[in-house]
Amino acid sequence: MRKLHDKFFRQAKREGKLARSVYKLEELDRREGLFRPGGKVLDLGASPGSWTEYILEAVGPGGVACAIDLKPIHRKFKGRAHFLLRDARELGDDDFARQAPDGFDALVSDMAPNTSGIRIVDQSRSLELCQCALTLARRRLRRGGNFVCKIFYGPETEAFRDSLPGFFQAVRLRKPLACRSASIEAYVVGVGFAGPEAG
Ligand SMILES: C[S@@+](CC[C@H](N)C(=O)[O-])C[C@H]1O[C@@H](n2cnc3c(N)ncnc32)[C@H](O)[C@@H]1O
């Protein structure tokens, strides 16, 4: 039987974190240097808010986190967080005109589809969310910006990863320790964005 309350769950409880998934972002940030003080970050699939909370600490008082989710976030954050209760697939440039008119320094996506239990269906829905995140990154990331997106590992994962090197200086597929070992999730990371698309 799957062990639900693992060491990351207990650590999150002890440290008052909103979700154990914060330790995935913490590890990715430690290894890749995703955020900078004063940075603006777009956080897709943000509820219940553990990544948003981490990002606000990482970017400090001059930074901004724009958090998007289909579900609400109930935590009141200390830093500069803006939350939109929205489907990321329907976001337009106008949605960020006020908070980040010149684009974002990082875009992270922890979006996950509702799972059906049919692996190929779930992988394909996850891939659709990854493509949405990449499209937004290509439009809204600043030059040099960083990208992270959760993907359910499947037949298309490597093709998706291999579609990134034209846009980023370095691309990696990572599975942080806090991912459950039985889980098919992994994270595609792109660092050093080449620049937004013209037009
Ligand atoms: C694993 S949870 C995110 C956990 C969050 N990063 C945290 O640490 O608190 C995945 C989230 O993706 C959201 N999501 C899935 N599809 C989405 C979509 N199309 N637009 C926005 N959010 C979406 C879900 O509502 C869910 O809250």
Side-chain angles (χ1 to χ4, degrees), residues 18-22 24-25 43-52 68-73 84 86-91 109-114 129 132 150 185 187:
L18 285 160
R20 63 190 289 297
S21 44
V22 69
K24 302 173 198 170
L25 185 62
D43 178 13
L44 303 175
S47 175
S50 82
W51 281 29
T52 314
I68 314 289
D69 205 294
L70 299 165
K71 293 189 262 182
I73 291 184
L84 291 178
R86 293 281 296 278
D87 187 325
R89 293 168 296 184
E90 292 167 7
L91 291 170
S109 169
D110 199 24
M111 288 191 288
N114 285 328
L129 295 173
C132 158
K150 179 182 0 231
E185 75 180 14
Y187 289 84

Side-chain angles (χ1 to χ4, degrees), residues 75-86:
R75 170 87 40 118
K76 297 277 174 276
F77 296 113
K78 286 193 201 119
R80 296 171 66 200
H82 303 273
F83 177 65
L84 291 178
L85 187 66
R86 293 281 296 278

Side-chain angles (χ1 to χ4, degrees), residues 29-171:
D29 184 28
R30 194 172 60 244
R31 298 177 77 177
E32 303 284 359
L34 297 172
F35 309 116
R36 63 168 184 83
K40 293 185 177 180
V41 181
L42 181 56
D43 178 13
L44 303 175
S47 175
S50 82
W51 281 29
T52 314
E53 193 164 49
Y54 178 89
I55 291 162
L56 287 168
E57 273 170 37
V59 297
V64 172
C66 286
I68 314 289
D69 205 294
L70 299 165
K71 293 189 262 182
I73 291 184
H74 298 292
R75 170 87 40 118
K76 297 277 174 276
F77 296 113
K78 286 193 201 119
R80 296 171 66 200
H82 303 273
F83 177 65
L84 291 178
L85 187 66
R86 293 281 296 278
D87 187 325
R89 293 168 296 184
E90 292 167 7
L91 291 170
D93 290 343
D94 289 352
D95 290 309
F96 313 113
R98 221 148 48 93
Q99 285 83 25
D102 305 323
F104 292 96
D105 301 290
L107 182 154
V108 296
S109 169
D110 199 24
M111 288 191 288
N114 285 328
T115 47
S116 66
I118 304 167
R119 187 171 278 215
I120 193 83
V121 171
D122 297 338
Q123 285 161 336
S124 137
R125 289 181 184 161
S126 164
L127 183 65
E128 188 205 343
L129 295 173
C130 293
Q131 279 157 344
C132 158
L134 180 60
T135 301
L136 278 169
R138 290 178 62 191
R139 285 215 315 265
R140 301 304 307 162
L141 266 186
R142 286 180 182 158
R143 189 181 297 273
N146 299 322
F147 172 77
V148 167
C149 105
K150 179 182 0 231
I151 190 159
F152 287 179
Y153 198 92
E156 304 295 331
T157 301
E158 285 167 26
F160 177 73
R161 180 200 55 197
D162 294 344
S163 71
L164 266 68
F167 310 121
F168 295 91
Q169 272 168 15
V171 174

